[in-house]
Amino acid sequence: MNIEQITPVFAGDVSGVDITQPLSRDDLAALEAGMDRYGVLVFHQQKLTDDTQRAFTRNFGTLEASPGGNITQLHERRLPLDMQDASNLDKDQKPLPRDDRRRMFNLGNRLWHSDSSYRATPAKYSLLSGRVVVEKGGHTEFADMRAAYDALDAATKTEIEDLVSEHSLIFSRGSLGFTELSEAEKAMFKPVRQRLVRTHPVTGRKSLFLSSHAGSILGWPVPEARAFLRDLNEHATQNQFVYSHKWRQWDLVMWDNRQTMHRVTRFDETQVRDMRRTTVAGDAMTVAQAA
Ligand SMILES: [Fe+2]
């Protein structure tokens, strides 16, 4: 197995390994070390099924199950509960209509975010398999939150060190004007607290924990918090911190949500784009939650 760094700051291209098959202890250790170092790993020509994707994912921890992350009802689901549907399709494999409520909700993925930052225990890794990809657009862009943190000036680093922000799908969807949520959905999307600066448990590197789900900072007036979060997001997503992945069918991209943000770019949504995600649950909250 070989990992080649893609940009000057992060992301690795992996070759010489077949992740559809059980892996040796050494290969797994090399992949874990690769994740710690590069934040994003890209694999090509991995013909995964839902079962082999889940089996590969379980090498890195427990699968995160979906409830609480979407407005799609159980009976509308296309994929098993422990997989996240990142496609634009309904249960009958047809693209969702333009004004479909689920599609409008999913458009939130066009905003920079860290997966499950709206959960009290946010996600560790996400693994996205390109089963059917589109020819134009639909790239997944990643930003390295460690490099972004490193580039902050000393005064800003000191100021943000112990700040806590609140994350919710209500904020991210609301920022796109999608506000028609039922009372049950609002209760499900109750904001959670997250540290603004995280420290990686293995490497000890600090990173900015930003996400479109973040809508306030504890102790700050809301407009001031949102303006500041916007400044930090603009800083953190400058070109030098970003890798844009242009999908080929059977690519598998895995990323560390503790160290990176990502978003999908626009594409023709009358085309089928079948992307399936598995998620490795995190193992700790970043800060205690409100009582
Ligand atoms: Fe995502």
Side-chain angles (χ1 to χ4, degrees), residues 86 109 111 113-116 126 128 140 213 255 257 262-264 277:
N109 291 319
L111 305 176
H113 64 281
S114 172
D115 287 334
S116 296
S126 292
L128 191 58
T140 304
H213 309 307
W255 60 90
N257 288 295
H262 61 280
R263 68 174 178 183
V264 63
R277 195 183 100 201

Side-chain angles (χ1 to χ4, degrees), residues 164-184:
V164 173
S165 56
E166 289 186 299
H167 293 229
S168 170
L169 284 158
I170 298 171
F171 297 138
S172 51
R173 275 47 188 173
S175 72
L176 288 184
F178 184 83
T179 52
E180 302 92 59
L181 295 168
S182 68
E183 289 309 311

